[in-house]
Every structure is written in structure tokens, then in C-alpha cells.
Amino acid sequence: MEKYEEIRAKCRRELLETIDYTRDMDDEEILDNIDRKVLKAGREYYLTLDERCRLKKELFASIRRLDILEEFLADNRVTEIMVNGPDAVFIEREGQLVKQNVRFESKEKLSDVIQQIVAKVNRVVNEASPIVDARLENGARVNVVMPPVALNGPILTIRRFPDEPIRIEDLLKLGSITEEAAEFLQKLVAARFNIFISGGTGSGKTTFLNALSDYIPGEERIITIEDNAELQIRNIPNLVRLETRNANVEGCKAVSIRDLIKTALRMRPDRIVVGEVRGDEAIDLLMAMNTGHNGSLSTGHANSSFDMLSRLETMVLMGMEMPLPAIRRQIASAVDIIIHLGRLRDHSRKVLEIMEVAGCRDGEILLSPLYAFVEEGSDEKGRVMGRLVKQENLIHCEKLMNAGILPE
């Protein structure tokens, strides 16, 4: 194995010397050069046919793709790739986190891969701006932290999404939601309820938002706003996708989620979908929800539905000084439903709560549980057993009635 690594490194160095940087060489020309190099190395070092095929694939990935990460990106079972410097690569496959027996040949090579990723989405990462969010061509979310902030070398984290968006039908098969609750949410989306999806990291918020968007009527005009374009909304012909932009050294100003929400309001949207709110943009989204843009959807990090309300209060205060009772009235008036997701101890993702924001009384926001996950133990394989149970509380019917949907 050590000999093979030395051969690959030598071949790569020689290949890089043959590349004409004064013009764009297409993949076919690069592959021709690799074929000649592999043929020569195979004769010189007596490589087997399997080793030659592997060498060709790895050399092409190293020069034209993302090097050792290519095999993980091609594996549909891999949901997360974590690179903690050139020598430590971890992946999450089917819910299990495992260290891989691979490494980048140097910190410089890892930095080259990172620069290749961020350049494709017009982002910049360097010592002056060592943290950046980006995405791959397949929609995977990328986070980069570079030295001097990262002490053990460049850090790269890639969150992969399925090639085909997960639909509500898939979530039903996985047991993430019940058919009764899914039909209920379909009515709420059609009736233009403002819905917030909350949950912890990796709980499936973006996936669920994608699935929920399938219920949006196809004749509506939808505007999506994201830090990094991840949503895969389909079957909406009149769809506008907006993405934030960081400031750069060329003098381009940053474009924030707040800027995009304000712009979206001038674009005659039927609904606004914000991928995630993290800061002061919450006030702009709430104002949009309160000024006739019903049916808006968004997500946020929180440990429970109640915690999501507290976080919204904090985020509003980050952008505007307002008395807390006034903020709570704004939230209670804007948000209709909170869907809370969780990742259980068996790594399964479930809808844990569906709550109605029932108003504001004595300065406190009232939440009315509509569905709650009830755990019923574990099976012999350690999988959590349980179901989403409908609660006794009744939802306010005005929006359903206005949409011509008869409540139960």
C-alpha cells in the first residue's frame, strides 16, 4: 500500500507538469494524459489491472474532482463527510459515524480542494475570511473553516442530500410521520397557514421542508431565500430562488437574508420560503407573515416548540429594540403552526410535535398541542417504537374555512 501511494503521488506530480494552464483542457484530454501515465507506471512498477483502474480513477479525481472525497460523494448512503485536517476523514453512513482509512497527501492538497469548491459558488476563503458556507453542484451543503481559526488544518464538512428529494410518501415509509398527520398538514399548507419547522442539528428540517412544499399549489408564485441553495422544490413553474452573497475583496457588498426578504416583498410572491432563520432576519420574516404573505414556511434550530418561540424572540431583539410583549404579539400573530422534529437515540428522525400558536395572553404566547409523539419502548434491534398521537385540542378554523376546507 505504501508503494502504491508513492506511485500515485509521483504520477500526479508528473501529470501536473503536463497540464497546459494557458488554456482550458477538457476532461477527455486529461484522461488521455492519465491513460498514458498509468500505462507507463503499470509497466515500470508491475501494477495489476485492478491497481491500474484504481490509479486512473484516483488521478482523475485528484486533478479534476474532489480527490479522495469522490468515493463518498458517489455513495448514496453517506449523509455527512467530515474532514478534520488532511489525516482525519470521518463519514456518517446510514446513521453510523466511522473514521475512514484515507488521507489527503498534504494540507496544501486539501486547501486546493476547498478552494475549488468555494470558487464555483463565487465565495472566498482565506486567512482574512477563514469561515465560509458554500455548496456543491449536487446541492450538498459545505462548511469550511481555515487556519488560523482551525488549529489542526483546514476543516471541511459536507452535508449530502438525496439525489431525489424525499417526499412525504418516503417519510411515511420511514415512520417519521403518520398518514393522518400528513393529511392534516396537507390541509394546513393548502389553507396558507404560516408554518415553522424546528429541530436540532441533523433532525431533518430541510428535508421535511422540501417534502412539505409538495403540498403547495402549482399555480402559485413562490420565492425561496437561503444562505446556500439547498431546497429542492418541484412542480412549481413560477419559482424564484434567491441566495445570499458574502462581501469580497473585489468590493462586492454582502447581500443578506434581510436584504432578500425585503426584495422578495416587491416581487409579488404568493408565499415566501426562508430556508433557515438564525438572526435579525426573523423580524423581516414575521413582518412579511403579518402583512398578507400567508402560507410562508421556514425552519430554525431549537430543542422544542417552546424553545423555538424563545429563539424567535431573541432573534427579533438582535435586529430591533422592542418591548418583549410587543415581540410576542408579533410572533403570535404571524406564526400559525410549529412542527418540531427530533433525532432519537436509534438515529431515526421523527415528527415529535405539531403545535398551534393559539394567541397571546397576559404577555405569554399560548401553544396548543395538536399531535405529539408517544414512545412505546424499543424492539429487539434497539429501534424506538412509538407513534404520533392526535391530541384533544381543536385548531382554529378561520383559515381552513376561508380556503374552502371543511375542518373535521
Side-chain angles (χ1 to χ4, degrees):
M1 178 59 73
E2 186 175 339
K3 177 186 174 185
Y4 175 83
E5 298 289 341
E6 293 174 358
I7 295 169
R8 185 181 64 181
K10 181 175 182 290
C11 289
R12 184 176 179 277
R13 285 195 302 271
E14 293 175 355
L15 272 169
L16 291 174
E17 293 172 359
T18 69
I19 293 177
D20 185 356
Y21 293 98
T22 63
R23 61 184 179 86
D24 288 333
M25 297 178 67
D26 59 25
D27 288 352
E28 188 174 344
E29 193 173 354
I30 294 289
L31 283 169
D32 286 341
N33 288 351
I34 291 175
D35 284 336
R36 288 193 291 270
K37 184 59 61 181
V38 169
L39 182 62
K40 178 183 176 184
R43 291 171 176 168
E44 185 176 348
Y45 299 104
Y46 306 104
L47 297 177
T48 66
L49 181 59
D50 285 344
E51 287 174 329
R52 294 184 190 196
C53 291
R54 177 187 170 191
L55 181 60
K56 177 181 176 179
K57 184 170 71 173
E58 291 180 353
L59 286 173
F60 184 72
S62 174
I63 293 172
R64 263 300 200 252
R65 298 288 185 263
L66 300 184
D67 202 31
I68 61 174
L69 303 182
E70 281 297 316
E71 64 174 295
F72 307 127
L73 291 169
D75 187 345
N76 291 330
R77 299 170 299 164
V78 174
T79 54
E80 199 103 26
I81 302 169
M82 289 152 275
V83 181
N84 304 339
D87 302 317
V89 178
F90 294 81
I91 67 164
E92 182 183 59
R93 182 189 283 120
E94 297 177 335
Q96 301 297 318
L97 192 62
V98 182
K99 187 177 188 297
Q100 300 300 297
N101 188 27
V102 296
R103 63 181 301 277
F104 286 89
E105 62 184 53
S106 65
K107 285 186 178 181
E108 289 70 27
K109 177 56 187 174
L110 174 54
S111 295
D112 288 345
V113 168
I114 288 172
Q115 294 297 343
Q116 181 181 338
I117 292 171
V118 301
K120 286 185 177 180
V121 289
N122 296 316
R123 301 286 169 98
V124 175
V125 62
N126 49 39
E127 286 192 8
S129 179
I131 300 174
V132 71
D133 291 315
R135 56 182 162 80
L136 301 181
E137 292 174 348
N138 64 2
R141 178 196 305 167
V142 178
N143 175 262
V144 174
V145 184
M146 297 287 282
V149 174
L151 301 183
N152 52 336
I155 308 299
L156 175 66
T157 308
I158 301 174
R159 167 79 58 83
R160 289 187 73 250
F161 299 101
D163 296 330
E164 284 295 318
I166 291 179
R167 308 183 69 174
I168 288 291
E169 291 81 3
D170 301 313
L171 298 177
L172 288 170
K173 292 176 184 175
L174 292 169
S176 298
I177 191 172
T178 62
E179 189 168 347
E180 179 189 25
E183 291 175 356
F184 175 67
L185 291 178
Q186 182 176 12
K187 292 178 181 179
L188 298 188
V189 173
R192 303 177 66 82
F193 278 66
N194 292 323
I195 299 175
F196 238 96
I197 300 168
S198 68
T201 301
S203 59
K205 297 183 295 298
T206 302
T207 297
F208 197 86
L209 180 56
N210 268 322
L212 207 60
S213 69
D214 281 348
Y215 293 146
I216 298 175
E219 68 273 8
E220 294 187 5
R221 176 172 171 81
I222 311 302
I223 298 181
T224 66
I225 298 171
E226 302 173 81
D227 271 332
N228 295 288
E230 300 167 358
L231 294 174
Q232 298 169 291
I233 295 178
R234 303 169 301 175
N235 306 320
I236 304 290
N238 198 349
L239 174 67
V240 177
R241 305 175 71 209
L242 304 178
E243 183 181 53
T244 62
R245 184 186 71 187
N246 294 334
N248 61 33
V249 292
E250 283 80 25
C252 293
K253 294 182 180 179
V255 179
S256 67
I257 287 184
R258 295 197 72 173
D259 297 327
L260 295 179
I261 292 176
K262 292 171 184 175
T263 297
L265 295 177
R266 304 186 188 102
M267 299 170 70
R268 198 217 158 274
D270 288 311
R271 300 176 194 246
I272 296 174
V273 179
V274 179
E276 182 180 342
V277 291
R278 300 188 186 95
D280 56 3
E281 66 271 8
I283 183 62
D284 298 284
L285 179 59
L286 293 174
M287 286 181 175
M289 290 177 170
N290 271 323
T291 53
H293 296 88
N294 288 325
S296 296
L297 306 169
S298 189
T299 76
H301 278 82
N303 295 321
S304 67
S305 300
F306 288 97
D307 185 43
M308 189 69 250
L309 294 175
S310 298
R311 291 214 63 221
L312 279 172
E313 293 170 9
T314 303
M315 287 187 279
V316 170
L317 286 170
M318 292 168 66
M320 182 179 293
E321 288 189 16
M322 289 176 62
L324 194 55
I327 293 175
R328 289 175 175 170
R329 286 195 297 271
Q330 283 278 333
I331 294 172
S333 175
V335 182
D336 298 311
I337 297 291
I338 297 178
I339 304 169
H340 184 69
L341 312 180
R343 190 171 186 181
L344 305 184
R345 58 183 178 276
D346 62 353
H347 305 293
S348 64
R349 297 169 173 88
K350 305 281 188 185
V351 176
L352 299 182
E353 297 173 337
I354 301 176
M355 295 273 200
E356 181 188 18
V357 180
C360 192
R361 183 188 302 160
D362 299 328
E364 296 291 333
I365 301 175
L366 305 178
L367 283 181
S368 174
L370 303 175
Y371 285 84
F373 182 77
V374 177
E375 187 174 328
E376 299 170 344
S378 304
D379 65 10
E380 63 279 0
K381 294 183 179 179
R383 291 177 298 199
V384 176
M385 307 298 292
R387 58 196 178 94
L388 198 59
V389 178
K390 186 176 182 180
Q391 305 299 292
E392 297 297 326
N393 300 309
L394 298 176
I395 192 166
H396 287 76
C397 301
E398 290 85 357
K399 283 190 176 181
L400 289 170
M401 298 291 284
N402 291 339
I405 299 172
L406 294 177
E408 296 179 5

